[in-house]
Amino acid sequence: RWYTGMSSDNIKGLVLAISSSLFIGASFIIKKKGLKKAASSSGGVRAGVGGYSYLYEPLWWVGMITMVVGEVANFVAYAFAPAILVTPLGALSIIISAVLAHVMLREKLHIFGILGCVLCVVGSTTIVLHAPQERQIESVTEVWGLATEPAFMCYVGVVLAIVALLVFKFVPLYGQTHVMVYIGVCSLVGSISVMSVKALGIALKLTFSGTNQLIYPQTWAFSMVVISCIITQMNYLNK
């Protein structure tokens, strides 16, 4: 059987990641309906032009709560399985969103959209089936050591520079006409959050197992990075 080579932790992470994709995929559609309803209401200002009237829309909050449930499942999945297994499964939320958008929002799914969904399935399946066993981590300080290696720090520096360029130069000029500007900000920031979410998940897992990781400042540093990334992504995702 296909799962015989996977550890029990990997299987738990797999189930949680798939569940997360279902919730997150559905949340996009619910929030989109909430955003449209807020924009069409009297005095409502679209999120795309800087409005925040959607914060008063109950339907948007239903979608937000659904996303939180999905993200919690995703967070716990990182504590059990390698990031290389959990992260690609996030692509399944794209398929859920595409199908629900076609049904609930009457947005037509073209041939290239269908091809993209197929590629998501093939790519995710391929990576999951060949996911390596997770390296045993004994302390959050180990993750901190990996995160502060020169290669990763250079990557973070490049990503932050590109995000700053997009936010301060391209968002004001092309945000309303090129959706890839907003997607670029969300995706690049999300790539940084993966390391922090993984570290925080490991810290909590070890803490609940009896080895307290909350005493390390690195745990709180990772927490702040996660919070900052989430706020940034949510802001530009709604736009």
Side-chain angles (χ1 to χ4, degrees):
R1 287 174 289 185
W2 64 271
Y3 57 83
T4 52
M6 299 178 67
S7 67
S8 59
D9 278 357
N10 275 14
I11 293 175
K12 291 175 185 176
L14 176 65
V15 173
L16 286 166
I18 293 175
S19 302
S20 168
S21 294
L22 292 173
F23 280 104
I24 293 175
S27 74
F28 289 142
I29 306 304
I30 300 172
K31 288 203 298 179
K32 178 66 179 287
K33 291 179 74 71
L35 288 167
K36 293 175 70 174
K37 187 176 179 181
S40 63
S41 63
S42 175
V45 180
R46 289 179 58 247
V49 294
Y52 293 94
S53 58
Y54 58 84
L55 294 175
Y56 300 98
E57 176 54 50
L59 189 58
W60 183 86
W61 281 106
V62 172
M64 185 64 184
I65 292 171
T66 305
M67 173 169 278
V68 169
V69 173
E71 291 294 354
V72 169
N74 193 52
F75 175 81
V76 178
Y78 275 110
F80 284 102
I84 197 173
L85 187 153
V86 177
T87 305
L89 289 174
L92 297 180
S93 63
I94 299 173
I95 301 171
I96 304 298
S97 295
V99 173
L100 292 179
H102 181 77
V103 175
M104 298 177 63
L105 301 178
R106 301 292 186 267
E107 296 179 359
K108 185 173 177 59
L109 188 61
H110 297 285
I111 183 65
F112 286 109
I114 296 173
L115 178 60
C117 289
V118 171
L119 290 175
C120 284
V121 172
V122 173
S124 297
T125 303
T126 302
I127 293 177
V128 167
L129 290 178
H130 297 88
Q133 292 294 320
E134 185 174 23
R135 170 180 170 177
Q136 203 67 26
I137 301 293
E138 302 296 335
S139 170
V140 72
T141 55
E142 288 187 43
V143 187
W144 181 264
L146 295 171
T148 52
E149 287 185 353
F152 187 73
M153 294 303 294
C154 287
Y155 171 78
V156 171
V158 171
V159 167
L160 292 179
I162 296 174
V163 168
L165 183 65
L166 289 173
V167 169
F168 295 109
K169 183 175 178 61
F170 289 96
V171 164
L173 295 175
Y174 306 110
Q176 296 298 302
T177 55
H178 295 77
V179 70
M180 286 302 296
V181 176
Y182 291 143
I183 293 175
V185 173
C186 292
S187 300
L188 288 168
V189 172
S191 71
I192 296 177
S193 69
V194 167
M195 170 66 82
S196 298
V197 169
K198 178 68 177 176
L200 195 54
I202 290 174
L204 292 177
K205 182 181 178 182
L206 290 173
T207 298
F208 291 139
S209 299
T211 307
N212 187 12
Q213 300 295 302
L214 302 181
I215 59 175
Y216 296 110
Q218 290 89 337
T219 301
W220 300 104
F222 282 127
S223 301
M224 293 304 299
V225 173
V226 170
I227 293 171
S228 301
C229 290
I230 289 174
I231 293 174
T232 303
Q233 288 178 285
M234 288 304 305
N235 181 52
Y236 287 99
L237 178 62
N238 283 306
K239 290 180 182 296

